[in-house]
Amino acid sequence: MSEFSFKDRFAIVQKNCKRFNNVKVLPSGKYMISSFTFAEYFKKDDLQEKNIMPAKDVRLFGSAIAKCLNIKFRFVGEEPLDNVTRQYNETMKQILGDYGIKLIEVPRCKLPSGEIINATKVRKLLKEGKFQECRQYLTEETYSYIIDSN
């Protein structure tokens, strides 16, 4: 349900995490931020002004996924631009502690100009064929994957 296939997204994450010895990249399957557990996420453009209910997804993560994988921390990026994702982060803050999971919110990356790095903008530039313009928003690994794939 994305401009990038699961295969591409997974490969990009693997490529970016290669340098870390303490990171293991696993596929998420259909029960983690999926249309099955959190359909609103995939209709974000239409729901920016609405209140959403992502608790089902968060509880499933806490009770089953994190428990099975012994996850004690979940890292998310702060979300100043997208109301749906911001509500998802707030729901995680409220619920994950019940499962012994600490949520760590990472400040959003910015360009030297102060502009927030934003995936929506990158997708727009890619759709317009402006590959060189999107380079400043991407890691070298992500950029090279996109260029090599096109």
Side-chain angles (χ1 to χ4, degrees):
M1 299 186 77
S2 171
E3 286 91 33
F4 291 93
S5 70
F6 173 80
K7 178 184 167 205
D8 286 336
R9 292 169 76 95
F10 193 73
I12 289 168
V13 172
Q14 284 181 309
K15 212 171 175 185
N16 276 279
C17 291
K18 253 186 188 168
R19 64 179 161 239
F20 302 110
N21 296 330
N22 62 343
V23 174
K24 185 168 184 148
V25 179
L26 301 170
S28 61
K30 64 181 179 179
Y31 295 108
M32 196 162 158
I33 309 182
S34 72
S35 59
F36 178 69
T37 61
F38 185 21
E40 295 95 334
Y41 187 80
F42 300 95
K43 301 173 190 167
K44 290 197 291 186
D45 291 344
D46 299 331
L47 298 173
Q48 288 300 311
E49 304 302 318
K50 307 278 186 201
N51 288 325
I52 56 151
M53 303 298 290
K56 176 182 177 183
D57 183 86
V58 176
R59 286 193 179 96
L60 179 62
F61 175 80
S63 66
I65 297 168
K67 184 177 180 181
C68 177
L69 296 173
N70 197 30
I71 294 172
K72 301 292 181 205
F73 300 93
R74 184 158 179 181
F75 294 86
V76 299
E78 72 178 344
E79 188 46 73
L81 303 174
D82 183 319
N83 189 40
V84 171
T85 303
R86 184 174 38 257
Q87 288 180 72
Y88 184 70
N89 288 356
E90 289 302 317
T91 302
M92 286 190 286
K93 286 177 190 175
Q94 295 166 7
I95 294 175
L96 288 180
D98 296 345
Y99 299 95
I101 301 165
K102 180 176 170 99
L103 185 80
I104 299 171
E105 193 170 33
V106 179
R108 181 59 77 103
C109 292
K110 296 178 182 176
L111 296 177
S113 66
E115 179 186 355
I116 292 172
I117 295 177
N118 169 336
T120 302
K121 182 165 188 165
V122 171
R123 286 190 295 270
K124 180 180 182 292
L125 290 170
L126 291 173
K127 198 174 206 174
E128 295 169 356
K130 297 177 180 176
F131 296 99
Q132 192 59 40
E133 276 186 55
C134 75
R135 188 175 197 154
Q136 66 182 329
Y137 300 101
L138 303 171
T139 64
E140 189 56 43
E141 294 87 355
T142 302
Y143 182 75
S144 67
Y145 186 91
I146 289 169
I147 295 304
D148 292 346
S149 297
N150 286 288

